[in-house]
Amino acid sequence: MPSPMPVPLELRLPEGWHAASPEQVGVPDAAFVAVHAQPDEGFTANVTVDSAYRPDAATLAEIGDESVRNLSGVAESLNLTSRHEIGSAAAPGLTQTLTLTTVVRGVLRELAQSQVCLSLLDVHDPDRRMVVRVILTTTAAQHDDLLEDFRDIVATVHPAN
């Protein structure tokens, strides 16, 4: 699903986070990347943002399943530990949390990932739906400590004026 942002978005980063080049972080398909200032055991927690127009009828749960399938291609093990629908009928969303074991830069890592999928409808053409994914990836040990920062970031995501 990653692609350039069909609609420019804005967000705010809490203290301890800064923007980084997607290529530098190893996720060149992301539209935006932020990294945390405090690596854990050599892994730097990151938040990536991507989006795509989704003219199909796929539900957010189906889009979440796609994300899990895509991630399973690079993970030695992968578990979906939670999934919840959020938002309203006018602005639906989906959150899901995964744990995975994967090799990152030659090191086997136990990671956790929180994903939020937000569905944004074009006010002038409701058939044009954009799905934005905001993804936090951390070590398993660091996930709970950075989850509130991630929630703060997601709360600020909105179309640019």
Side-chain angles (χ1 to χ4, degrees):
M1 185 169 99
S3 68
M5 286 290 174
V7 173
L9 297 174
E10 293 180 350
L11 58 82
R12 279 180 287 151
L13 297 174
E15 189 173 325
W17 292 86
H18 64 274
S21 161
E23 292 78 18
Q24 170 191 355
V25 179
V27 284
D29 292 337
F32 176 81
V33 175
V35 294
H36 193 259
Q38 305 267 322
D40 180 40
E41 305 259 335
F43 182 84
T44 303
N46 60 80
V47 172
T48 59
V49 180
D50 62 36
S51 69
Y53 275 115
R54 292 296 301 243
D56 60 349
T59 65
L60 287 176
E62 291 168 336
I63 292 169
D65 289 342
E66 288 174 14
S67 186
V68 171
R69 276 192 305 276
N70 291 340
L71 193 55
S72 71
V74 298
E76 291 192 17
S77 68
L78 177 66
N79 294 302
L80 176 64
T81 60
S82 71
R83 177 180 280 176
H84 304 281
E85 292 186 15
I86 59 171
S88 64
L94 177 90
T95 66
Q96 58 187 23
T97 303
L98 306 105
T99 57
L100 62 141
T101 303
T102 190
V103 175
V104 179
R105 294 187 178 104
V107 177
L108 188 64
R109 302 262 183 208
E110 299 290 328
L111 301 178
Q113 194 172 84
S114 289
Q115 302 179 352
V116 175
C117 297
L118 304 170
S119 182
L120 304 174
L121 296 179
D122 184 324
V123 294
H124 302 292
D125 183 0
D127 291 332
R128 289 180 51 100
R129 173 179 66 151
M130 180 175 76
V131 174
V132 177
R133 287 188 317 166
V134 186
I135 302 169
L136 169 69
T137 306
T138 69
T139 62
Q142 200 176 29
H143 187 261
D144 289 347
D145 292 338
L146 297 179
L147 193 53
E148 195 60 38
D149 282 356
F150 179 63
R151 289 178 179 141
D152 290 346
I153 293 168
V154 170
T156 69
V157 172
H158 64 277
N161 294 331

